[in-house]
Amino acid sequence: MDRRNFLKYVTLAGSSFTLTSCIQGKNSKLQGEVSPSASPVAVNEPLKVGFVYAGPVGDFGWTYAHDLGRRDMEANLQDKVKTTFVENVNEGADAQKVIRQLALDGNKLIFTTSFGYMNPTIKVAKDFSDVVFEHCRGYKRAANVGTYLGRVEEPRYLTGMIAGKMTKSNIVGFIGAYPIPEVIRGISAFTQGVRLTNPQARVKVLWVQSWYDPDKEREAAQALVNLGADVLAQHTDSGAVVQLAQEKGIYAFGYNTDMSKFGQNAHLTSAINKWGKFYTDKALAVMSNTWKSQEVWDGIGQGMVDISPMNQEIPGDVQQLVNVKRDEFIQGTAHPFDGPVKDQKGVVRVPKGKVLDDQRQLAMDWYVEGIEGSIPKGKS
C-alpha cells in the first residue's frame, strides 16, 4: 500500500482509522436467496476483497476474530485473492465513505463487519451492482447484499452452564455492549445455561454502550464484583474483563477469540467466532459467479462458532455435561431456547415442546427469567 493510497482513506473521515492491503504469499443457511447482478472476476486476476472493521485488529475480540478469518481466507486461496482492511471505522457517515472508496478501488467483494454498517452498506450497494457486499449482524439484504452471523447463543449457553457450576455467590455478572437483539439473546442464552445447572443463580447485567472500550469494560466488571459477582461474562471486545477477574481471583469468560492469555487462572473458556471458512466460501462463490444473496446464521455444527478449550479448573463432570450439550446442538436435538422459557415477569414466552423461532430471536427485546435489571434504550 503506497502512501497516496493510504492517505486517500485517511482523509475520507479523519485519521482515526487505518487501511492495510495484503496479497497472500507476496506481502446453515436461512431462506431468502436472491440472484446477484455482480459480474464474474476477470480471469487470472486476484479477487480484490475489502474488509471494514469497527475496532482495531489488535483488540483480541470481535475485530481480531474477523481478521483471523481474513487471514484464513488468504491462506486457503493464496494468490487468488488480494485483501484490504480498514480498521477503527466509525459507524455511520464514516463507514459509508470507506465502503464506497473500497468499491471504487476495485474490490469486488466487501465484508462490513459491524451492526452500524447496515444502512451505509445498503446505500453504497445501490451504486455498485457489480460488487458483492456481505454485512455482519444486520437484517437488510439486496440483490448484491447478503447478511451473516454466528449462532453464538449456542456457545453462550455452554458457558452459562459452566458459570452456574462455578459460582459460589450465586451472582454472575455480564457486561453488555449495546442493547440490540443479538446481545440481548446472547445474555439470555447464557442465563438459560446458568439456570440449567444452578436454578438459584442470578445474572446481573451492566451496559457500557461501546463495542470496545477497555476502561469502561473494566469499570463495569469492577462494579459487578462489588455487587457480589464471582463469575464474569462479556459481550464486549477487549481482554479487560478477564484481566480484572485474574486480579480479583475470580472466574471469567472471554468472547470472540480465546482470551486465556489475559488470565490463565481466571479464564474458564471463551465463546468464539470462526469466520475463515465462511469468508473462503464466499470468495470462491464470487470467483465462480455462483454467489447468491442469503441470510446466513450458522452454529457450532457448521463451524462458525464454538467454545475455546476449557480450563482444567472446571471439574470433569461439568466438562462432560458441557460436551454432551454441545453434541446435542450439533445434532440439532437441543436449542438454547428450548421451552418452557419464561421472561422476567414469569410469563411463558416459549411453551414446553417448542423453541424460540428465528424470527423472534432476531427481534428479541426481553430478558429471560433469572436476569436482574432492565434493558436500556439503545441502538436500533
Side-chain angles (χ1 to χ4, degrees):
M1 177 59 58
D2 63 42
R3 178 174 174 79
R4 287 176 300 172
N5 207 22
F6 171 78
L7 289 176
K8 171 176 59 182
Y9 287 86
V10 171
T11 56
L12 287 174
S15 58
S16 61
F17 54 83
T18 305
L19 177 139
T20 304
S21 179
C22 320
I23 302 180
Q24 178 65 18
K26 297 181 180 180
N27 300 358
S28 94
K29 310 298 183 291
L30 300 179
Q31 298 301 311
E33 295 187 358
V34 181
S35 296
S37 56
S39 59
V41 180
V43 178
N44 298 325
E45 290 186 9
L47 172 68
K48 295 182 72 174
V49 186
F51 291 79
V52 185
Y53 298 151
V57 293
D59 67 1
F60 291 100
W62 177 259
T63 294
Y64 181 61
H66 282 283
D67 202 57
L68 289 177
R70 179 189 65 82
R71 287 185 245 169
D72 283 347
M73 181 188 70
E74 285 187 331
N76 291 333
L77 300 180
Q78 299 290 313
D79 58 3
K80 294 179 181 178
V81 294
K82 176 182 179 182
T83 72
T84 298
F85 66 86
V86 192
E87 58 186 338
N88 296 316
V89 179
N90 293 328
E91 297 173 336
D94 285 1
Q96 187 170 329
K97 293 175 183 176
V98 169
I99 296 165
R100 182 175 297 279
Q101 190 62 55
L102 286 170
L104 288 170
D105 283 348
N107 290 281
K108 293 299 182 182
L109 173 59
I110 298 175
F111 294 98
T112 58
T113 64
S114 193
F115 178 77
Y117 298 159
M118 179 170 63
N119 290 332
T121 299
I122 292 294
K123 289 178 181 178
V124 175
K126 290 179 180 178
D127 297 330
F128 294 89
S129 62
D130 62 337
V131 177
V132 167
F133 299 82
E134 288 281 354
H135 176 237
C136 189
R137 282 179 160 155
Y139 54 84
K140 294 182 180 180
R141 285 169 294 283
N144 60 331
V145 181
T147 57
Y148 64 103
L149 187 64
R151 291 186 184 269
V152 76
E153 299 76 33
E154 293 175 356
R156 287 285 190 210
Y157 189 102
L158 301 179
T159 59
M161 291 175 63
I162 298 169
K165 286 291 189 180
M166 299 301 285
T167 180
K168 295 179 180 178
S169 67
N170 283 340
I171 300 175
V172 178
F174 202 112
I175 296 93
Y178 294 102
I180 62 174
E182 174 198 345
V183 184
I184 293 167
R185 68 176 177 266
I187 297 170
S188 293
F190 175 81
T191 304
Q192 289 285 99
V194 169
R195 290 178 63 80
L196 177 71
T197 57
N198 186 349
Q200 304 305 313
R202 297 166 291 158
V203 176
K204 295 179 181 289
V205 182
L206 290 180
W207 299 88
V208 295
Q209 301 296 327
S210 175
W211 296 118
Y212 177 77
D213 190 323
D215 290 339
K216 286 185 178 179
E217 293 169 54
R218 182 182 177 88
E219 181 180 340
Q222 181 62 66
L224 288 166
V225 171
N226 293 344
L227 292 172
D230 60 355
V231 178
L232 300 173
Q234 65 184 87
H235 194 124
T236 51
D237 294 348
S238 83
V241 175
V242 177
Q243 286 176 322
L244 183 126
Q246 179 76 15
E247 294 169 15
K248 300 294 182 181
I250 60 174
Y251 294 119
F253 299 97
Y255 177 48
N256 293 302
T257 63
D258 186 336
M259 289 187 169
S260 57
K261 65 176 292 180
F262 294 105
Q264 292 291 334
N265 298 324
H267 180 266
L268 293 172
T269 183
S270 292
I272 61 174
N273 290 294
K274 301 165 66 178
W275 304 113
K277 182 179 184 300
F278 175 80
Y279 288 156
T280 301
D281 289 346
K282 289 300 178 181
L284 288 170
V286 171
M287 290 177 192
S288 63
N289 203 30
T290 59
W291 181 92
K292 294 180 182 295
S293 174
Q294 297 174 310
E295 181 179 17
V296 175
W297 196 12
D298 285 344
I300 296 175
Q302 295 77 35
M304 190 170 272
V305 296
D306 211 334
I307 57 173
S308 63
M310 288 184 274
N311 190 325
Q312 292 308 302
E313 289 290 312
I314 304 170
D317 61 331
V318 177
Q319 294 194 40
Q320 184 176 3
L321 281 174
V322 170
N323 286 328
V324 168
K325 182 62 70 174
R326 179 180 179 276
D327 288 342
E328 291 175 355
F329 286 149
I330 292 172
Q331 296 162 10
T333 58
H335 189 284
F337 296 104
D338 278 322
V341 178
K342 295 180 180 179
D343 65 19
Q344 283 180 308
K345 298 179 180 179
V347 176
V348 176
R349 295 289 190 123
V350 184
K352 185 177 181 180
K354 302 291 185 179
V355 300
L356 189 65
D357 62 41
D358 286 349
Q359 184 176 0
R360 288 189 292 165
Q361 285 188 69
L362 290 169
M364 195 167 186
D365 61 357
W366 51 276
Y367 281 151
V368 299
E369 185 177 38
I371 301 176
E372 293 188 352
S374 59
I375 299 173
K377 293 182 180 180
K379 289 195 170 187
S380 60

